[in-house]
Amino acid sequence: MALMVLCAGVAIPFCAQPSAAQGTTLYRLETTCTIRGGAPQDCVVEVTDEGDSTVYRHTIGSRVEVIRVSDPPLRMGILDAPSGRWRQVKSAGARFSTNTICYDDRDLCVINPNHLNSVREERVDSLEGRDLVGVRFGADGRVILTCYDEGCEGLK
Amino acid sequence: MKTLSLPALVLAGVLVIPALPSAPTWAAAGSPSSAEQLLSQRSGGGGSGNRGSGNRGGGRGSGGGSNRRSAGGNLTGGGGGGGQARRSNKNTGFRTASPGMGRGSREPRGGWTGNSRGRGTPSLDRTGSADRNRNAERNRNAERNRNADRARRDERNRGSDRNRNRDNDRARQERLDRRDDRWDRAGNRRDDRWDRAGNRRDDRWDRAADRRDDRWRRASRDWDRWYRYPGWARPGWGPARPWSWGWYGGWSTPRWNWWGPSAAAWGVSTLATAAIINAAVDNAVSSHTTYIVVPNTNYQLLYGSIRPVGTQSTTFSVIANNDEVEITADCDRGTLDGRNPRTRDEAELLNAACQVAFGTA
């Protein structure tokens, strides 16, 4: 509710209505996802580059989860289907050795080596020798914490 | 051209002044936003991960991220005088403090894969292999320590035995008579020892300096190469390979027509197994080494250089006799640059490259 009030009064990118603009399709990946730590399910990820952001559309059976990532600065939003608005992702984590990315703790996890391969090549310095990386976002959607490996223990 | 003052710009809505945080001074001094912008600017200018001057193909779209970041940097820098500090090239100490994740829009070397099904369950938990590696390392260290302790104990025992024998063999009177001679000889020996020790010390220093130089040269060379390595050459490399894989393997008795007679002539019955080759890559990734030593050979396979050619061939670079050579292997026909391997070492190289390219991992 607070977020909705905030969205009503201030122009924040992730509060805006989803853009109708069609981006460039980067790839379509048939892979495996989990929802809230449940059983692995087949899912399809369609990824589009929309200029200032990358949109990941996960289709898991009849359910669709859309994540939007932009940088810099790094921001992540998830599409709230009922309202059609973007809400901020609170945290995200990636484990390179399992090719997995999770959003909002483990609400949505997906095997996406493409995303991780790309990130790995973009951030050679900071990811050198790292296996687990996590980010947490503040109320304004900006990164307030980045952790690596053992530094992420205990963080949700 | 008319220049607007700062208040005028604010009133005109050109500049937006963010609300000042009520947080203590550390937050203002090292705010994430300014650090991130500075870092992204540096990344954009320097092309982090794009030092791929030596990128031998497969580098599609490698400039995309850099261009995008440069644009961002220009916008930031165009804000006026405030951009001066941000444009500084000095090391701030926060160079690697940028968020570890990103948009993932830049096409990685090797391209995008379209299928990751059947490559495990999504999980942020640590895989077992990492633990196994750590345990193996611990075991190796424990073994080394045990051996060192044993050696030290043996040495101490030998020393005390010698002392006892010497005491028993020599009478006190004889020792007194010969004392002066011994002193002289001891003095001479001491001088000799000092000279020899000095020489050895000099030699050791020279050798150590040479080794240090070699290591540095090697490290510099390898580090440089690491920047050119594709994103898939990392933990989880098997499923991360962005091409079709999984058909190669089980070549203990390959169906290559040359294998039978050649293997008999070389006196071998099998080639290195997939498990051995995969473990070598795992270890190389863990230790940030750019090559694996091909089992039973002196070849160093630069595994990150492996790229598929069609569905059954691969190109790769290998260091042989200190020279880097690029080779194409046909994994189905079992050839290197179009010919059958002439030695067992070449057969092992072919097998290792094909396993990394197309084997199950």
Side-chain angles (χ1 to χ4, degrees):
Chain A
M1 177 59 78
L3 182 63
M4 296 300 291
V5 171
L6 189 66
C7 289
V10 184
I12 295 176
F14 282 120
C15 293
Q17 292 281 350
S19 165
Q22 292 295 306
T24 308
T25 299
L26 295 177
Y27 58 90
R28 181 179 186 277
L29 174 68
E30 294 180 8
T31 186
T32 309
C33 299
T34 56
I35 301 287
R36 294 194 179 85
Q41 303 177 63
D42 286 351
C43 69
V44 174
V45 186
E46 292 161 296
V47 183
T48 53
D49 185 349
E50 298 197 344
D52 59 350
S53 62
T54 307
V55 174
Y56 296 82
R57 181 184 176 87
H58 306 77
T59 305
I60 312 146
S62 58
R63 181 177 183 145
V64 176
E65 296 283 357
V66 185
I67 300 281
R68 187 167 71 176
V69 185
S70 63
D71 76 354
L74 181 68
R75 290 173 184 272
M76 293 188 188
I78 186 165
L79 185 63
D80 181 51
S83 67
R85 291 176 179 273
W86 295 100
R87 69 170 170 80
Q88 291 159 12
V89 168
K90 296 186 185 73
S91 67
R95 172 76 75 177
F96 286 94
S97 55
T98 60
N99 289 292
T100 299
I101 302 172
C102 291
Y103 303 94
D104 278 342
D105 190 16
R106 306 217 164 139
D107 277 4
L108 170 64
C109 292
V110 56
I111 292 181
N112 188 344
N114 288 332
H115 191 163
L116 297 184
N117 288 351
S118 179
V119 168
R120 196 86 182 183
E121 289 183 18
E122 281 182 333
R123 300 172 193 273
V124 175
D125 276 342
S126 56
L127 294 176
E128 172 204 336
R130 308 294 192 188
D131 189 28
L132 177 66
V133 56
V135 288
R136 182 181 284 184
F137 300 93
D140 65 352
R142 303 286 299 275
V143 172
I144 56 171
L145 179 72
T146 299
C147 63
Y148 298 99
D149 298 328
E150 289 82 1
C152 298
E153 284 175 7
L155 295 175
K156 295 276 184 181
Chain B
M1 183 177 169
K2 187 178 177 183
T3 305
L4 292 176
S5 66
L6 183 65
L9 285 170
V10 172
L11 288 174
V14 175
L15 280 180
V16 178
I17 298 178
L20 290 174
S22 58
T25 49
W26 63 265
S31 73
S33 60
S34 60
E36 282 164 11
Q37 284 160 8
L38 173 64
L39 295 168
S40 356
Q41 244 186 324
R42 286 176 59 81
S43 299
S48 163
N50 285 339
R51 283 191 207 172
S53 56
N55 181 3
R56 294 179 298 274
R60 286 173 289 167
S62 63
S66 178
N67 291 339
R68 176 170 48 74
R69 287 172 176 221
S70 295
N74 289 340
L75 289 172
T76 309
Q84 200 166 30
R86 292 174 181 172
R87 282 194 296 270
S88 166
N89 284 326
K90 287 180 182 162
N91 196 337
T92 63
F94 288 91
R95 187 166 172 262
T96 58
S98 59
M101 297 183 72
R103 280 179 57 190
S105 59
R106 191 183 103 179
E107 185 172 3
R109 272 163 263 173
W112 308 111
T113 184
N115 194 336
S116 286
R117 243 169 224 166
R119 302 189 184 188
T121 300
S123 172
L124 290 186
D125 296 334
R126 187 182 293 140
T127 54
S129 61
D131 288 339
R132 275 201 299 278
N133 288 341
R134 266 197 289 277
N135 288 338
E137 183 60 28
R138 260 202 300 272
N139 291 339
R140 274 195 296 274
N141 289 339
E143 183 60 28
R144 270 200 298 271
N145 290 339
R146 270 197 298 276
N147 290 339
D149 288 347
R150 238 192 332 262
R152 274 195 296 273
R153 274 198 305 274
D154 291 348
E155 183 59 30
R156 274 200 300 272
N157 291 339
R158 272 198 299 275
S160 59
D161 287 348
R162 268 201 305 272
N163 289 339
R164 274 196 298 276
N165 291 338
R166 198 161 48 222
D167 289 345
N168 291 337
D169 290 339
R170 293 179 184 165
R172 182 170 181 273
Q173 187 59 45
E174 287 173 328
R175 283 205 308 273
L176 289 174
D177 292 343
R178 294 175 184 167
R179 189 179 52 194
D180 291 344
D181 292 343
R182 279 205 309 274
W183 274 81
D184 289 344
R185 283 200 301 272
N188 291 338
R189 280 199 303 271
R190 205 164 41 238
D191 290 345
D192 288 347
R193 274 201 304 272
W194 271 102
D195 290 344
R196 281 200 304 271
N199 290 338
R200 278 199 302 270
R201 211 166 33 241
D202 290 346
D203 287 347
R204 273 201 305 273
W205 272 101
D206 289 346
R207 281 199 303 270
D210 289 345
R211 278 199 303 269
R212 240 185 343 263
D213 289 346
D214 286 347
R215 272 201 304 272
W216 177 250
R217 274 193 293 272
R218 237 182 354 250
S220 303
R221 186 189 65 192
D222 290 346
W223 180 250
D224 181 49
R225 282 207 181 104
W226 190 260
Y227 272 89
R228 289 149 42 186
Y229 261 46
W232 66 263
R234 57 176 172 78
W237 61 273
R241 286 169 295 179
W243 59 80
S244 180
W245 55 276
W247 65 270
Y248 182 87
W251 295 121
S252 57
T253 52
R255 59 192 172 91
W256 303 321
N257 57 16
W258 52 264
W259 169 251
S262 297
W266 297 330
V268 298
S269 56
T270 59
L271 296 170
T273 62
I276 291 174
I277 295 164
N278 292 350
V281 176
D282 287 344
N283 289 336
V285 165
S286 297
S287 61
H288 215 200
T289 307
T290 51
Y291 62 86
I292 62 166
V293 177
V294 176
N296 308 316
T297 77
N298 289 322
Y299 290 134
Q300 295 176 339
L301 172 63
L302 294 159
Y303 56 91
S305 69
I306 288 178
R307 299 188 308 277
V309 179
T311 57
Q312 64 181 39
S313 296
T314 177
T315 64
F316 58 91
S317 293
V318 62
I319 297 174
N321 300 322
N322 290 324
D323 289 326
E324 185 176 330
V325 186
E326 189 168 282
I327 295 176
T328 300
D330 187 322
C331 302
D332 193 40
R333 298 166 69 181
T335 58
L336 289 173
D337 282 343
R339 65 165 174 76
N340 297 342
R342 293 179 186 133
T343 63
R344 178 196 179 179
D345 285 9
E346 289 184 358
E348 291 279 12
L349 174 63
L350 168 70
N351 179 54
C354 290
Q355 168 57 33
V356 178
F358 298 116
T360 303

